[in-house]
Amino acid sequence: MTALVVIDFDASGIKQPARSAIAAATKLGGEVHGLVIGSGVGAIAEAAAKIPGLSKVLVADAPGYAHELAEPVAALLVALAPGYSHILQAATAAGKNALPRAAALLDVQVISDISGVVDADTFVRPIYAGNALATVKSADAKKVLTVRASSFDPVPAEGGSAAIEAVSVAPVEGKSKYLGSELSKSERPELTAAKIIISGGRGMQNGENFTKLLDPIADKLGAAVGASRAAVDAGFVPNDYQVGQTGKIVAPELYIAVGISGAIQHLAGMKDSKVIVAINKDEDAPIFQVADYGLVGDLFNILPELEKA
Amino acid sequence: MKLLVAVKRVVDYNVKVRVKSDKSGVETAGVKMSMNPFDEIAVEEAVRLKEKGVATEIVAVSIGVTQAQETIRTALAMGADRGVLVETDVAVEPLAVAKLLKALAEKEGADIVVLGKQAIDDDMNATGQMLAALLGWPQGTFASKVEIADGTATVTREVDGGLETVALALPAVITADLRLNEPRYASLPNIMKARKKAIDVVKPADLGVDVTPRLTTVSVSEPPARKAGIKVPDVATLIEKLRNEAKVI
């Protein structure tokens, strides 16, 4: 039994969710290999080799693997699949895009966003926006899984010494072509890896208030800034700030919800946070039912006070 | 150009679901059901493509129990031309749905299949990708913008760090994200007109697809409840609590 974990990375290096996926893979009880897919990814492969828990790092390095297009990535996973009992990746946008495609090509049902490993065939996953936890047992010979990063403590980044091996498979020519990206620039920690998150909702009223009121507090706390769907739809902040069932799933040490009512879909993305603070002027807002500390009042008075404190 | 749009009947998104006491699943009897919100967006996009003259016919497909006809009617009232119900009492998984949709896409000669990016009940986010794989078509998942021209679909996708644009050679599969569009409400005359539109009913066996689930649900449980918190009177108390009680700052 050997598991293959696809490593998520970006320009700044290996992403924390990749190390959570490795943590999930180690719970299966077998050997764990990492897979780095991309173009010019030698440094990433070397960093991956240092992750404890990996006994081998495979590197698929070719221009055709740039931009993580689903077609070549899925074809590569299918080519490597005979050597593995489990194929995993964090439930990032890239993982959710490519792994179901690979699973279908292998004629297996993908198991998305697992939050627990019971045994090599049985997994726990949240359904209905996290309002129920399903334990499912797979009858498929091979398991293809995406991993809810916030449910597994990431393995350390350093301390291992895995062997690096180049993959000889040539990328398939797909019918899709990468045209370009528009990435949000931020100096702050990444939302899914941040220890503290401060999120704004519709109550923030506009994007300037995010910059004026939330950013200084985030900087002071070393926190990431998130948002509810209402704030994203209203155009206050870009959509990759969104926390919730359809946005990012986070579980920081501290989550501060400001001007967020607490709809089911938002709670789905943050209710596993260790400590939740709600700041809202409506004392009946559902967010107070999950908040450890609630402060009823006008955020426009409270936030400046918080910044000074 | 022919479009297939896949719609799912799910527990309404506003319902707070309850886990059954025998832990076999979630209570759905007597619970309000409606079209999966992401599928409404998929239907709206298909209808807009028809209004732009890109699409000529829209076939709305649902897979499930007899009552899923109502979901198809909703799609017809929004502007789809006709419907197909693949009737089954089996709780079909994304792989089986993808196989059924593949059979229908081939039978209908579809050029584009539009789906929601995920159903809000199983939260799988897999059917569109699996369908694209089985058809050997390119995929444009989590789409927030779609432009079709000259045999190519240019799709802007919502990814973790922002947005990404890809060009897909048609035929292709596209899955809709929330920000793709604002779905229209079906007007009463359109709801009346939709009653006259045809819905074909077929069985999975008619399409030669085995829908036996690969996953067995061992149990469904309530997630651990959070302990009730406290309200604090002011910022100073909040900071004090976070520092000394919760020790998170």
Side-chain angles (χ1 to χ4, degrees):
Chain A
M1 197 173 70
T2 308
L4 182 67
V5 180
V6 183
I7 309 275
D8 285 286
F9 61 89
D10 60 18
S12 58
I14 292 174
K15 291 182 173 180
Q16 186 181 313
R19 291 189 282 118
S20 292
I22 294 166
T26 55
K27 288 184 195 293
L28 297 166
E31 213 177 312
V32 182
H33 294 176
L35 173 60
V36 175
I37 310 170
S39 178
V41 289
I44 299 291
E46 276 170 35
K50 293 197 183 97
I51 299 176
L54 295 181
S55 57
K56 189 157 58 165
V57 172
L58 303 180
V59 189
D61 196 333
Y65 287 131
H67 312 302
E68 306 168 295
L69 286 172
E71 288 163 87
V73 170
L76 172 66
L77 293 176
V78 171
L80 296 174
Y84 295 97
S85 57
H86 295 74
I87 299 173
L88 306 89
Q89 187 170 356
T92 53
K96 291 190 279 195
N97 189 37
L99 261 62
R101 188 173 180 110
L105 296 173
L106 294 165
D107 194 33
V108 306
Q109 175 57 51
V110 67
I111 308 177
S112 307
D113 217 15
I114 59 162
S115 59
V117 174
V118 179
D119 60 39
D121 305 313
T122 316
F123 307 94
V124 182
R125 57 181 304 269
I127 55 173
Y128 289 91
N131 286 298
L133 293 175
T135 303
V136 295
K137 191 175 165 66
S138 168
D140 285 318
K142 232 174 256 303
K143 322 297 182 231
V144 178
L145 312 154
T146 59
V147 177
R148 174 168 289 210
S150 63
S151 299
F152 296 89
D153 288 332
V155 296
E158 305 266 351
S161 57
I164 297 175
E165 192 178 289
V167 169
S168 60
V169 181
V172 300
E173 186 79 28
K175 292 170 191 159
S176 42
K177 204 167 73 189
Y178 170 86
L179 296 182
S181 296
E182 251 178 78
L183 301 181
S184 308
K185 285 197 187 73
S186 174
E187 309 273 295
R188 295 198 187 84
E190 202 199 340
L191 208 44
T192 51
K195 285 206 165 59
I196 302 177
I197 295 174
I198 183 161
S199 277
R202 199 196 305 271
M204 295 299 296
Q205 292 184 1
N206 58 49
E208 281 158 38
N209 287 333
F210 266 80
T211 322
K212 202 170 72 192
L213 299 170
L214 288 189
D215 287 0
I217 300 174
D219 288 338
K220 211 166 159 186
L221 294 172
V225 177
S228 70
R229 184 187 163 194
V232 172
D233 282 353
F236 301 171
V237 286
N239 56 44
D240 53 303
Y241 278 55
Q242 190 186 327
V243 171
Q245 183 182 19
T246 63
K248 294 199 171 84
I249 313 283
V250 299
E253 301 273 301
L254 172 62
Y255 188 90
I256 307 173
V258 185
I260 293 176
S261 65
I264 296 172
Q265 291 77 15
H266 185 73
L267 298 182
M270 48 63 82
K271 68 180 177 171
D272 292 327
S273 304
K274 196 168 149 232
V275 175
I276 298 174
V277 170
I279 298 169
N280 206 301
K281 64 179 177 196
D282 172 12
E283 60 178 316
D284 296 323
I287 191 77
F288 286 118
Q289 292 163 20
V290 300
D292 299 280
Y293 303 107
L295 184 50
V296 179
D298 188 344
L299 66 93
F300 293 101
N301 298 328
I302 292 171
L303 289 178
E305 248 188 273
L306 202 57
E307 192 201 331
K308 276 183 240 137
Chain B
M1 193 178 294
K2 198 186 229 181
L3 263 59
L4 214 63
V5 56
V7 295
K8 185 176 184 182
R9 176 178 181 264
V10 297
V11 170
D12 188 83
Y13 73 98
N14 274 317
V15 172
K16 173 95 173 73
V17 295
R18 292 214 337 263
V19 172
K20 287 185 193 170
S21 51
D22 67 357
K23 297 195 160 198
S24 65
V26 162
E27 191 58 70
T28 52
V31 172
K32 187 186 178 201
M33 305 291 280
S34 47
M35 188 191 288
N36 180 41
F38 291 98
D39 302 347
E40 287 184 6
I41 295 166
V43 174
E44 174 67 33
E45 196 64 20
V47 174
R48 288 186 189 187
L49 286 171
K50 191 177 170 189
E51 287 167 349
K52 281 186 210 155
V54 175
T56 47
E57 191 186 20
I58 303 166
V59 183
V61 182
S62 194
I63 296 159
V65 294
T66 316
Q67 291 90 321
Q69 290 218 15
E70 293 160 22
T71 312
I72 296 175
R73 287 282 167 217
T74 307
L76 297 176
M78 287 173 73
D81 296 293
R82 61 190 175 82
V84 178
L85 171 67
V86 183
E87 198 177 5
T88 171
D89 291 332
V90 176
V92 281
E93 290 168 354
L95 179 61
V97 172
K99 288 178 179 178
L100 293 166
L101 290 174
K102 172 184 190 264
L104 287 171
E106 282 170 348
K107 191 174 146 197
E108 296 281 353
D111 300 284
I112 301 175
V113 184
V114 197
L115 307 89
K117 78 163 180 179
Q118 80 191 63
I120 59 163
D121 53 0
D122 68 13
D123 282 331
M124 275 286 197
N125 195 333
T127 305
Q129 295 88 316
M130 296 189 111
L131 173 63
L134 297 175
L135 286 164
W137 293 2
Q139 66 192 48
T141 52
F142 329 142
S144 58
K145 194 175 168 199
V146 174
E147 277 165 34
I148 312 280
D150 309 323
T152 304
T154 306
V155 178
T156 303
R157 307 178 53 233
E158 301 209 351
V159 294
D160 288 337
L163 300 171
E164 172 186 291
T165 307
V166 290
L168 315 174
L170 295 181
V173 173
I174 294 167
T175 74
D177 214 316
L178 279 174
R179 271 166 287 278
L180 182 56
N181 60 50
E182 189 76 40
R184 70 192 65 191
Y185 286 103
S187 65
L188 190 59
N190 284 343
I191 293 170
M192 301 304 283
K193 261 188 256 169
R195 288 188 186 172
K196 294 200 187 80
K197 293 179 181 173
I199 298 180
D200 290 332
V201 180
V202 297
K203 298 277 181 190
D206 301 336
L207 298 167
V209 176
D210 175 7
V211 295
T212 311
R214 305 291 183 87
L215 305 180
T216 321
T217 301
V218 180
S219 69
V220 175
S221 60
E222 298 266 2
R226 289 189 75 93
K227 269 189 290 176
I230 55 162
K231 292 235 170 91
V232 292
D234 50 41
V235 170
T237 319
L238 176 65
I239 296 286
E240 193 274 319
K241 295 272 185 200
L242 290 177
R243 252 185 212 138
N244 303 320
E245 198 176 272
K247 297 190 170 50
V248 284
I249 57 169

